[in-house]
């Protein structure tokens, strides 16, 4: 067990930043904390790092009580590494000095690295492909190279927990994809547990073993990227991760009647209980199908955007606006009357709780 | 805290480690000590001063106020002060705003050089600048020769008058308004002006409806700052007003104390309270305005030119440079030439040049040698103390903002907000007998000067350190913690290397202001403890102009050497670490 949070609460004055968080981070696990800004994910990360003290609750890192009532281990005495959003490279130190800093000062440096700091420094720089940049100053590096130095510095002392605070948000789009692969490679090589904070759902889905979706200071859902995407447990997760449309209607033993239209039945064997209770059915844009003729709900195209490999439509159905993604060859003019139906539905993995309406 | 190992050792260190094993208790104690020290040194003197103005032998009374306010002389003094401050503030505003507008918005060239020239009178103490102008305008100077040669019966203006004082104050303090206005003007986004133009308003409407309203809080703030500087100034009224028999509040207090008349201290206290209240009101207003103009602070500064002078560019540049060179260098060169003459009134020529004044000051006169030593030592200690204490205060103010840390900033700012002469008097009252019947011998020694300098100039370092700290992102510090370094290692390896250039500019300001300090020293110095400022003032009052000019020249050269070496060090540092 690499880290455990037990009933952790954090309030700033009257505002509740985190309400009762329980979480186990397993050894070697890559966890992505996903949520909109202000959802508490950064606060959670800073609690793990030790920059904030929880209002109540316990935190264990690597079998050491990092936080218990009346006692807190400061960041410099936790077995952690961190990649900051702004990289936080010290502008007055060469690349090699940045990487060597944790080797000189970190409390948990393994003995074999302590004896051979230079070798370890070179090894880590090689890992991120910067072996020829050891003598550069931070201002002589590109954004991607700075990011690599920040990564190298974070893993140099081989911490048992690696914290990443939106590390890719200050890079441009192309570089971001490249750095994702880099971070995955480092995770494979170091086998360190990673807690990765992001507001970008594609980053979380692409890299993590488990995704934690957070909203308003609490955890909405924890699960594998595939489950989070395909089988959201809450409306928030469905909307934030899958950009799903919430279709109101009625659940009956036959299935789901969208907009309570008794003529139309959508199969609904795999919808979470919250949706059934609320009488809404989450449909991601690509799960809809638009037809110029045929059965289904009747609607009208109100907006269209060409995206290259697909089309993004906004369709109005009985006063509801839904987004629909179709293959690029589906071309419908604005104002066109269409019928809208459902396409493929995924099969859940065995771990996923499935609520069968009966 | 990781002090469990030390905990069980006996000896004198045990209570210390026992204490540091309880971080909360330790923190509370440090906090309490800091507050007590701050109140003792920064607040108590002011309370003492106010108390004294209202008491006679420890009995509360209005008597001193009645006496002072019913004296016709007091009203003349207040009138003089009013006109002097009003006139000089208008002059600083006109000069400062105009220069700021020209430098920030026009396409005039060599802006950096102009900027340095404008800031020059800010670095050299105002009494030395005044001394240099009196040398330029003296009867037998080359300047008066030119004026006499010109048709129209021109004469050099008499600086020992109210307009003369206004002129010198205006010249000395306009860089304040200039600096303030430059910052404000740069922060007004060009886009706002463009938006107004695109919405159909002409240049003049844009200026009237957009630029002026946005810049006004800043300009007013700068004007108030200049008002305070003019009110606080002692050197110019002392050098010009005392010989010219024009007394203002600051010189009135000085003369009361030095004159040792009956109930002199009480009268001086009353005048000080009057002056102090005006100054604090001004500071408060300025602070309110500053808060208001904060809205613009988030915008980033734009330095590109916003209008073209066209054919007027060359004439404008010529005019600016002629004026600046004249203002900055011509009087100084007159001062240097006076210092090279053996006696007042001798014509300046190759045969009359002598270095005897310099050798007298540097090698023969013990008083001047002592003054250089004293000022150097005072400035050094003040700078070092302020650097350490001020940076610690600034650190807590920036990183742990709370009512408490904000009030420590306010407290440390108090002695600087008060006019120097007022602070000096408050210091006398406090340290003559801190506890009735006990004189620790600080008053009358160099110790009181040290205390006064440190309390007065501490805020300069606090502000400098705060600016430096705010430029170092907190993630730099957090990264240091994550990678295992806190406390001393963090400061040595991360914080100091990053902060030092920023800290040093504050320290340099403290050092140079202390080095040439006149106001506070004029009241607090005692025989054998003279400072540079007081010595130059004494020479001037006694009519030894060739000594005062020579000594001033030495001081200016010393200052330029200090600034030069610091700028060189800064340049070398910058070459190594370019800000990312």
């Amino acid at each position: 067990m690499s880290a455990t949070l037990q009933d952790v609460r954090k309030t700033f004055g009257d505002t509740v930043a985190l309400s009762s968080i329980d979480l186990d981070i397993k050894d070697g696990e890559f966890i992505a904390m996903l949520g909109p800004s202000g959802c508490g994910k950064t606060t959670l990360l800073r609690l793990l790092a030790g920059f904030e003290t929880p209002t109540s609750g316990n935190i264990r890192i690597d079998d050491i009580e990092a936080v218990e009532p009346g006692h807190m281990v400061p960041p410099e005495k936790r077995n952690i590494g961190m990649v900051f959003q702004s990289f936080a490279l010290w502008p007055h130190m060469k690349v090699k000095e940045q990487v060597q800093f944790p080797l000189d000062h970190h409390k948990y440096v393994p003995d074999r690295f302590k004896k051979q700091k230079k070798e370890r420094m070179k090894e880590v720089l090689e890992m991120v492909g910067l072996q020829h940049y050891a003598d550069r100053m931070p201002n002589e590096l590109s954004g991607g190279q700075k990011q690599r130095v920040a990564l190298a510095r974070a893993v140099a002392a081989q911490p048992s927990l690696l914290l990443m605070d939106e590390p890719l948000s200050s890079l441009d789009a192309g570089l971001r994809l490249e750095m994702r692969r880099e971070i995955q490679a480092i995770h494979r090589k170091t086998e360190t547990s990673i807690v990765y904070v992001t507001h970008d759902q594609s980053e979380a889905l692409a890299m993590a073993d488990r995704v934690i979706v957070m909203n308003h200071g609490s955890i909405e859902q924890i699960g594998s990227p595939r489950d989070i995407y395909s089988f959201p447990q809450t409306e928030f997760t469905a909307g934030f991760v899958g950009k799903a449309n919430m279709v109101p209607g009625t659940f009956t033993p036959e299935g789901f009647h969208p907009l309570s239209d008794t003529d139309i039945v959508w199969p609904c064997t795999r919808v979470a209980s919250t949706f059934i209770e609320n009488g809404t059915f989450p449909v991601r844009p690509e799960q809809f199908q638009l037809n110029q003729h045929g059965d289904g709900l009747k609607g009208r195209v109100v907006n269209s955007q060409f995206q290259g490999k697909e089309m993004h439509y906004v369709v109005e159905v009985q006063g509801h606006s839904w987004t629909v993604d179709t293959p690029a060859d589906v071309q419908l003019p604005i104002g066109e009357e269409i019928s809208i139906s459902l396409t493929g539905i995924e099969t859940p993995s065995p771990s996923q709780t499935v609520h069968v309406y009966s | 805290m990781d002090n469990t190992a030390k905990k069980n050792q006996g000896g004198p260190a045990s209570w210390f480690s026992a204490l540091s094993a309880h971080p909360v208790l330790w923190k509370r104690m440090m906090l309490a000590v800091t507050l007590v020290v701050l109140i003792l040194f920064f607040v108590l003197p002011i309370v003492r001063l106010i108390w004294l103005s209202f008491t006679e032998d420890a009995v509360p009374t209005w008597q001193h106020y009645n006496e002072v306010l019913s004296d016709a002389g007091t009203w003349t003094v207040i009138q003089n002060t009013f006109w002097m401050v009003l006139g000089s503030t208008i002059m600083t505003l006109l000069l400062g705003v105009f220069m700021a507008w020209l430098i920030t918005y026009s396409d005039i060239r060599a802006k950096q050089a102009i900027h340095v020239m404008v800031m020059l009178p800010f670095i050299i103490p105002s009494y030395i600048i005044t001394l240099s102008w009196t040398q330029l305008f003296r009867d037998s100077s080359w300047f008066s020769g030119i004026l006499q040669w010109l048709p129209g019966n021109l004469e050099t203006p008499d600086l020992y008058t109210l307009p003369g004082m206004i002129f010198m104050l205006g010249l000395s303090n306009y860089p304040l308004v200039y600096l303030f206005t430059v910052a404000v003007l740069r922060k007004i986004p060009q886009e706002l002006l463009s938006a107004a133009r695109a919405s159909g308003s002409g240049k003049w409407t844009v200026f009237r409806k957009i630029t002026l309203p946005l810049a006004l809080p800043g300009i007013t703030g700068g004007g108030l700052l200049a008002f305070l500087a003019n009110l606080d100034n002692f050197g110019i009224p002392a050098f010009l007003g005392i010989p010219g028999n024009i007394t203002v509040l600051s010189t009135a207090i000085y003369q009361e104390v030095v004159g040792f008349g009956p109930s002199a201290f009480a009268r001086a206290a009353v005048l000080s309270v009057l002056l102090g209240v005006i100054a604090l009101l001004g500071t408060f207003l300025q602070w309110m305005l500053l808060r208001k103009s904060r809205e613009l602070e988030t915008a980033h500064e734009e330095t590109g030119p916003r209008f073209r002078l066209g054919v007027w560019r060359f004439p404008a540049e010529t005019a600016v440079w002629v004026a600046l060179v004249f203002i900055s260098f011509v009087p100084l060169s007159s001062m240097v030439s006076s210092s090279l003459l053996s006696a007042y009134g001798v014509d300046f020529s190759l045969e009359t040049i002598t270095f005897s004044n310099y050798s007298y000051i540097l090698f023969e006169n013990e008083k001047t040698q002592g003054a250089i030593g004293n000022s150097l030592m005072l400035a050094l200690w003040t700078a070092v103390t302020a650097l350490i204490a001020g940076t610690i205060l600034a650190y807590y103010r920036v990183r742990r903002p709370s009512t408490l840390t904000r009030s420590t900033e306010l407290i440390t700012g108090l002695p600087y907000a008060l006019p120097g002469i007022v602070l000096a008097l408050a210091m006398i009252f406090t340290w003559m007998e801190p506890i009735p019947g006990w004189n620790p011998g600080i008053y009358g020694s160099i110790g009181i000067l040290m205390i006064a300098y440190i309390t007065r100039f501490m805020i300069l370092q606090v502000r400098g350190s705060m600016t430096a700290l705010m430029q170092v992102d907190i993630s730099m510090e957090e990264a240091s913690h994550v990678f295992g370094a806190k406390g001393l290692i963090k400061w040595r390896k991360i914080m100091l290397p990053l902060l030092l250039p920023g800290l040093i500019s504050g320290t340099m300001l403290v050092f140079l202001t202390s080095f040439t300090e006149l106001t506070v020293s004029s009241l607090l110095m005692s025989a054998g403890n003279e400072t540079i400022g007081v010595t130059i003032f004494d020479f001037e009052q006694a009519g030894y102009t060739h000594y005062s000019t020579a000594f001033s020249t030495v001081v200016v050269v010393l200052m330029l050497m200090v600034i030069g070496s610091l700028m060189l060090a800064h340049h070398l540092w910058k070459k190594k670490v370019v800000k990312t």
Side-chain angles (χ1 to χ4, degrees):
Chain A
M1 199 72 62
S2 168
T4 312
L5 284 85
Q6 259 177 358
D7 195 21
V8 169
R9 272 173 54 80
K10 177 70 183 175
T11 51
F12 295 103
D14 288 337
T15 38
V16 179
L18 289 174
S19 53
S20 184
I21 301 287
D22 287 294
L23 180 64
D24 279 339
I25 300 163
K26 297 184 192 74
D27 207 10
E29 196 179 20
F30 193 139
I31 284 193
M33 288 200 285
L34 175 64
S37 61
C39 72
K41 57 188 194 298
T42 301
T43 309
L44 193 54
L45 192 81
R46 292 176 65 82
L47 285 173
L48 279 168
F51 293 127
E52 309 278 357
T53 321
T55 313
S56 66
N58 292 12
I59 298 175
R60 282 174 75 84
I61 296 173
D62 226 17
D63 290 328
I64 294 163
E65 291 290 343
V67 180
E68 49 194 350
H71 174 78
M72 180 181 112
V73 178
E76 63 273 9
K77 288 179 184 157
R78 295 183 183 197
N79 193 359
I80 55 169
M82 188 161 172
V83 180
F84 293 81
Q85 188 170 8
S86 54
F87 313 142
L89 297 184
W90 300 300
H92 63 297
M93 285 187 190
K94 288 177 180 169
V95 167
K96 60 178 182 192
E97 291 168 322
Q98 311 262 358
V99 177
Q100 207 174 317
F101 191 93
L103 295 172
D104 288 337
H105 301 292
H106 203 284
K107 205 184 157 216
Y108 290 92
V109 186
D111 281 337
R112 60 198 152 95
F113 297 158
K114 253 186 213 161
K115 284 179 201 125
Q116 298 182 304
K117 287 180 187 166
K118 290 267 178 308
E119 284 68 21
R120 175 62 178 167
M121 182 264 291
K122 281 184 189 140
E123 186 189 345
V124 185
L125 281 182
E126 218 160 294
M127 207 187 283
V128 295
L130 285 181
Q131 57 273 35
H132 304 303
Y133 293 84
D135 285 309
R136 295 273 187 102
M137 297 298 274
N139 63 311
E140 298 166 329
L141 299 174
S142 69
Q145 288 166 336
K146 281 182 197 166
Q147 178 65 79
R148 283 163 208 267
V149 177
L151 269 172
R153 181 177 65 176
V155 298
Q158 211 173 55
S160 70
L161 185 59
L162 185 53
L163 307 172
M164 299 195 179
D165 184 10
E166 310 215 7
L168 304 186
S169 61
S170 40
L171 300 177
D172 56 54
L175 210 47
R176 246 181 262 170
L177 293 177
E178 190 188 326
M179 286 312 296
R180 279 188 199 176
R181 291 192 286 274
E182 198 79 29
I183 290 172
Q184 284 179 297
I186 283 195
H187 180 231
R188 279 195 298 272
K189 271 181 225 163
T190 58
E191 294 173 339
T192 306
S193 315
I194 294 181
V195 176
Y196 186 105
V197 160
T198 181
H199 62 263
D200 179 340
Q201 35 104 10
S202 78
E203 255 174 42
L205 297 178
M207 293 186 287
D209 299 325
R210 275 202 297 167
V211 177
I212 299 173
V213 182
M214 293 189 66
N215 189 31
H216 294 311
S218 49
I219 294 177
E220 289 272 333
Q221 187 172 350
I222 304 181
S224 72
R226 202 170 279 276
D227 285 348
I228 293 272
Y229 185 74
S230 302
F231 307 103
Q233 298 290 303
T234 64
E235 283 196 10
F236 175 79
T237 309
F240 191 78
V241 182
K243 310 275 173 277
N245 301 289
M246 299 302 154
V247 178
T250 327
F251 286 93
T252 67
E254 301 159 56
F256 178 71
H257 301 288
L259 304 174
S260 302
D261 187 332
T262 45
D263 293 340
I264 301 166
V265 179
W266 289 353
C268 68
T269 47
R270 298 160 188 105
V271 173
S273 59
T274 34
F275 296 107
I276 295 172
E277 279 155 27
N278 292 346
T280 54
F281 191 100
V283 186
R284 292 193 310 278
E286 75 273 15
Q287 288 178 304
F288 275 134
Q289 195 178 333
L290 299 182
N291 294 311
Q292 272 161 310
H293 318 283
D295 297 334
L297 292 164
K298 300 286 175 251
R300 200 165 50 88
V301 175
V302 292
N303 192 32
S304 75
Q305 288 180 350
F306 175 62
Q307 293 283 308
K309 61 176 181 188
E310 55 191 17
M311 289 293 298
H312 290 180
Y313 286 105
V314 177
V315 175
E316 207 176 83
V317 182
Q318 296 179 32
H320 301 276
S321 283
W322 295 332
T323 54
V324 180
D325 294 355
T326 70
D329 56 352
V330 178
Q331 289 179 41
L332 299 163
I334 289 175
E336 183 85 348
E337 300 289 337
I338 42 91
S339 66
I340 186 164
S341 56
L342 224 52
T343 64
I345 302 274
E346 299 89 337
T347 326
S349 65
S351 71
Q352 186 68 31
T353 340
V354 176
H355 299 269
V356 181
Y357 194 91
S358 53
Chain B
M1 291 271 148
D2 188 31
N3 277 302
T4 37
K6 288 183 224 157
K7 215 175 193 171
N8 296 324
Q9 290 169 0
S14 62
W15 70 268
F16 182 82
S17 48
L19 204 57
S20 49
H22 297 281
V24 178
L25 197 68
W26 176 243
K27 259 184 203 157
R28 291 234 173 102
M29 237 186 79
M30 287 308 288
L31 204 68
V33 170
T34 312
L35 273 180
V36 167
V37 168
L38 283 180
I39 289 173
L40 209 67
F41 284 91
F42 290 78
V43 181
L44 199 67
I46 298 159
V47 177
R48 267 308 242 287
L49 172 78
I50 298 170
W51 172 251
L52 222 96
S53 73
F54 283 108
T55 51
E56 174 76 41
D57 294 329
V59 179
T61 171
W62 285 98
Q63 181 198 336
H64 305 308
Y65 283 85
N66 283 335
E67 223 170 82
V68 170
L69 292 179
S70 59
D71 185 348
T74 309
W75 291 101
T76 320
V77 167
I78 290 174
Q79 236 172 30
N80 286 340
T81 314
F82 176 78
W83 289 118
M84 176 186 81
V85 171
L86 182 73
S88 53
T89 303
I90 290 172
M91 184 173 154
T92 54
L93 268 173
L94 291 178
L95 266 179
V97 172
F98 176 73
M99 285 307 289
W101 171 77
L102 201 65
I103 296 288
T104 44
Y105 286 177
S106 83
D107 59 342
I108 204 164
R109 282 167 293 189
K111 288 181 174 181
Q112 198 56 42
I114 296 177
H115 184 77
V116 171
M117 290 291 282
V118 171
M119 293 315 290
L120 207 64
F122 202 54
I123 302 160
I124 301 171
S126 61
Y127 60 88
I128 291 186
I129 293 179
T130 307
L131 193 61
S132 69
W133 280 86
T134 59
Q135 293 316 300
L136 181 68
F137 284 170
R138 77 194 152 86
D139 287 340
S140 54
S141 76
W142 60 268
F143 187 67
S144 73
I146 290 178
L147 287 185
Q148 273 163 15
W149 174 80
L150 284 172
N153 235 347
L154 290 167
E155 269 181 44
T156 52
D158 183 5
L159 282 177
Y160 299 90
T161 58
L162 196 55
M165 286 155 68
I166 289 173
F167 175 74
M168 286 317 306
L169 280 171
L171 271 191
S172 304
N173 288 332
Y174 89 94
L176 270 179
V177 177
Y178 164 83
L179 263 190
F180 232 75
T181 315
V182 162
V184 173
L185 289 182
R186 280 199 183 140
K187 273 184 195 137
I188 298 175
Q190 169 83 59
E191 279 186 355
L192 293 186
L193 311 186
S194 309
R197 294 291 293 275
S199 312
S201 42
K203 276 183 189 175
W204 172 241
T205 318
V206 170
F207 176 77
R208 208 163 42 86
K209 293 215 158 164
I210 311 290
T211 315
L212 202 62
L214 285 177
L216 210 55
I219 294 173
T220 324
L224 268 168
L225 211 62
F227 159 83
L228 290 169
N230 292 330
L231 189 70
D232 166 61
N233 195 293
F234 173 72
I236 291 167
F239 274 60
L240 300 177
I242 292 178
N245 218 359
I246 301 154
T247 315
V248 295
L249 275 170
S250 56
T251 44
I253 297 166
Y254 170 77
Q255 283 168 325
E256 285 287 354
V257 174
V258 174
F260 267 122
S263 70
F265 272 143
R267 289 175 59 88
V270 170
L271 290 175
S272 293
V273 170
L274 290 180
L275 185 56
V277 166
I278 300 171
L280 289 184
L281 274 179
T283 310
F284 180 70
L285 264 177
Q286 204 250 343
W287 179 72
M288 295 286 286
L289 275 167
L290 211 63
R291 275 169 64 111
K292 233 184 134 184
S293 65
R294 283 269 156 82
E295 295 154 22
L296 279 173
E297 211 147 307
T298 44
H300 80 125
E301 297 197 345
E302 289 173 39
T303 46
R306 302 192 184 185
F307 73 91
R308 317 229 159 252
L309 289 164
V311 286
W312 290 102
R313 182 156 88 163
F314 186 69
E317 283 170 344
T318 316
V320 165
W321 277 104
V322 167
L324 281 177
V325 167
F326 186 87
I327 288 172
S328 308
F329 292 125
V330 174
L332 277 182
S333 66
S334 291
M335 182 177 84
V336 175
S337 61
S338 290
S339 73
L340 294 170
L341 297 176
S342 57
Y344 196 73
V346 176
D347 281 336
F348 189 81
S349 70
L350 268 183
E351 291 89 67
T352 53
I353 282 185
T354 166
F355 285 98
S356 62
N357 298 327
Y358 286 93
S359 71
Y360 173 79
I361 279 162
L362 290 174
F363 307 113
E364 290 156 38
N365 189 322
E366 279 175 23
K367 200 178 137 189
T368 52
Q369 289 169 350
I372 294 177
N374 286 337
S375 283
L376 208 58
M377 196 206 50
L378 281 168
L380 219 62
W381 277 108
T382 307
V384 170
T385 316
L387 177 64
I388 296 168
T391 305
I392 293 172
L393 286 177
Y395 181 83
Y396 282 99
R397 172 72 184 84
V398 171
R399 293 289 194 243
R400 315 238 199 295
S402 67
T403 325
L404 195 81
T405 50
R406 263 188 290 274
S407 45
T408 56
E409 189 197 350
L410 200 74
I411 289 173
T412 33
L414 215 50
Y416 193 70
L418 284 177
I421 206 87
V422 177
L423 178 76
L425 191 65
M427 284 288 159
I428 295 178
F429 292 154
T430 312
W431 294 103
M432 212 155 47
E433 275 190 1
I435 299 162
W438 174 60
N439 182 353
I442 290 175
Y443 178 53
S445 77
I446 201 159
I448 195 165
L449 280 172
M450 188 81 82
I451 294 171
Y453 281 16
I454 291 172
T455 46
R456 185 157 165 81
F457 300 131
M458 178 74 82
I459 190 68
L460 297 177
Q461 182 70 56
V462 171
R463 290 206 188 118
S465 300
M466 275 173 67
T467 314
L469 272 161
M470 282 191 268
Q471 279 161 0
V472 174
D473 194 82
I474 189 146
S475 67
M476 293 288 133
E477 231 177 298
E478 290 179 342
S480 160
H481 282 276
V482 163
F483 299 115
K486 63 152 196 161
L488 279 180
I489 300 177
K490 177 181 86 180
W491 277 91
R492 189 166 56 83
K493 287 200 158 180
I494 309 286
M495 298 303 277
L496 279 182
L498 292 179
L499 287 173
L500 215 54
L503 298 185
I504 289 298
S505 58
T507 311
M508 184 165 93
L509 190 62
V510 173
F511 180 86
L512 291 178
T513 345
S514 314
F515 188 59
T516 55
E517 212 286 334
L518 168 68
T519 318
V520 172
S521 335
S522 69
L523 276 194
L524 296 183
M525 67 105 192
S526 44
N529 296 321
E530 288 90 352
T531 62
I532 286 176
V534 173
T535 311
I536 293 175
F537 184 40
D538 282 352
F539 278 139
E540 189 63 13
Q541 279 204 310
Y544 296 122
T545 308
H546 38 290
Y547 292 150
S548 65
T549 51
F551 202 20
S552 297
T553 309
V554 170
V555 170
V556 170
V557 170
L558 280 176
M559 289 176 77
L560 290 179
M561 274 162 54
V562 172
I563 295 169
S565 49
L566 269 169
M567 273 165 70
L568 189 73
H570 190 240
H571 180 74
L572 289 176
W573 184 89
K574 247 193 160 166
K575 257 177 120 174
K576 205 181 144 218
V577 183
V578 185
K579 284 254 163 78
T580 38

